[in-house]
Amino acid sequence: MLRRGDPALFRFVWPWKVFSAMPTTVVEHTPARTVLWITPETPVKWPVGRKVAVPRIARGEWTHEDARWFGARLMISEGGASHSVYLSWDEAGKLVGWYVNLEEPWRESEFGFDTIDHLLDVCVDPDRSWRWKDEDHLAEALDVGLFTAQQAKAMRAEGERVIERIEAWAAPFDEGWENWRPDPDWPLPSIPNGWADL
């Protein structure tokens, strides 16, 4: 079991290739929930230009570049859930908003945690209003065979369940995470050797 303050590499992967790799610091790790922190200026690996068209994802056509994380993000994943909830802050420490990333349940790797992105997301503003994001990406993924219609239906249903929690302002939204701050003594984590190995 990882402990608070331990480094953990978080990766978005497809079955055939790592998409991005982000060193994080563990805030909480229990069977019920994992919480990770990404600090500004953390070294990361992601596709050149950061964005990749969905047909190119389906073909595995991307290479990686070295970059630096551009903000402050807390990631909350409940055990077995097909989504995680992010909080982001600006440089002044003001909450930018919440972001629900629909994805495979996190699975542990030798480096930290891996997941497969489901492309569809939900944005939540500080005033608690919400909106779907990247519905066009999911539709395109269906067109190129990246996901099946049944998978897409399940992804949207997962998002709708989370939206019910947003509208009720239930956990984790009501837990005060917006006031959380990292330990100032935590070191900047690094990318381990073998980060691209699956």
Side-chain angles (χ1 to χ4, degrees):
M1 189 72 64
L2 292 168
R3 296 176 297 177
R4 180 180 172 86
D6 284 348
L9 187 69
F10 181 83
R11 302 188 300 183
F12 283 110
V13 303
W14 295 99
W16 53 89
K17 192 174 181 179
V18 170
F19 189 79
S20 62
M22 299 172 285
T24 70
T25 302
V26 174
V27 176
E28 180 181 326
H29 184 222
T30 68
R33 179 163 68 184
T34 298
V35 182
L36 303 177
W37 165 250
I38 307 175
T39 195
E41 294 301 312
T42 296
V44 298
K45 297 276 190 179
W46 57 37
V48 174
R50 196 167 150 232
K51 295 186 183 291
V52 179
V54 172
R56 288 184 56 215
I57 291 174
R59 296 191 298 268
E61 293 178 352
W62 67 86
T63 57
H64 296 95
E65 66 180 358
D66 293 310
R68 293 279 174 175
W69 187 251
F70 50 84
R73 174 178 287 177
L74 192 72
M75 308 166 69
I76 304 169
S77 176
E78 297 172 342
S82 292
H83 72 276
S84 58
V85 176
Y86 304 163
L87 290 87
S88 296
W89 293 266
D90 64 17
E91 292 180 0
K94 182 180 177 182
L95 181 69
V96 174
W98 306 71
Y99 190 90
V100 178
N101 199 73
L102 300 175
E103 62 199 13
E104 292 290 310
W106 290 7
R107 59 185 183 275
E108 294 191 30
S109 75
E110 64 177 302
F111 303 108
F113 302 93
D114 291 350
T115 188
I116 295 174
D117 191 16
H118 286 168
L119 302 181
L120 182 65
D121 307 298
V122 181
C123 295
V124 187
D125 292 327
D127 66 3
R128 302 186 185 180
S129 60
W130 62 267
R131 63 193 177 280
W132 290 103
K133 182 178 181 290
D134 295 336
E135 291 178 284
D136 56 332
H137 290 178
L138 182 57
E140 195 171 8
L142 279 170
D143 289 343
V144 300
L146 194 56
F147 298 125
T148 66
Q150 184 176 2
Q151 287 173 317
K153 183 177 179 180
M155 293 167 190
R156 182 169 284 274
E158 178 78 4
E160 289 170 349
R161 286 190 290 271
V162 180
I163 288 167
E164 290 178 359
R165 292 166 66 184
I166 295 166
E167 292 181 336
W169 211 244
F173 303 98
D174 65 344
E175 295 180 331
W177 285 107
E178 63 272 20
N179 300 315
W180 179 89
R181 294 296 182 269
D183 185 327
D185 293 330
W186 282 345
L188 196 68
S190 59
I191 298 172
N193 293 331
W195 64 271
D197 296 341
L198 291 176

